[in-house]
Amino acid sequence: MSTVYVRFEIESFSADDGFAVCEFVDGEPVRQVTVVGDRMVTSLEEEDPDFGMTLTDQPLEPDWRDDDQGYEEVDRDYFERMWAEAVARQAG
């Protein structure tokens, strides 16, 4: 089983810029943190009124590391820190 963590820019429903950090297992999205402005949402919730779907439905293509794809690989620790902070904010 291959696990990869990827950061990518997103278009949000608000004027603020946003990005997502997603965990892919064997190319399929499993968990995601979406950040827009000062809000963070996890994929534990299926949909958010400000973000829409909280987990990408796109698999990770084999050529995702090509520069023009817009993906940046991040390490597991970075993803887990983002995930823990987002879960805590959602619970609070």
Side-chain angles (χ1 to χ4, degrees), residues 11-74:
E11 290 186 27
S12 69
F13 296 148
S14 74
D16 293 323
D17 291 332
F19 70 92
V21 182
C22 189
E23 175 184 46
F24 290 90
V25 176
D26 293 334
E28 295 298 319
V30 177
R31 296 187 292 166
Q32 180 172 308
V33 176
T34 305
V35 180
V36 176
D38 62 350
R39 287 205 57 222
M40 298 176 85
V41 174
T42 70
S43 55
L44 291 174
E45 298 293 329
E46 189 173 314
E47 193 168 341
D48 181 88
D50 296 327
F51 299 137
M53 298 302 293
T54 59
L55 181 63
T56 182
D57 60 356
Q58 300 297 311
L60 198 58
E61 298 295 328
D63 63 348
W64 70 269
R65 285 185 170 96
D66 291 350
D67 290 339
D68 62 343
Q69 296 292 325
Y71 294 127
E72 173 189 353
E73 187 169 4
V74 296

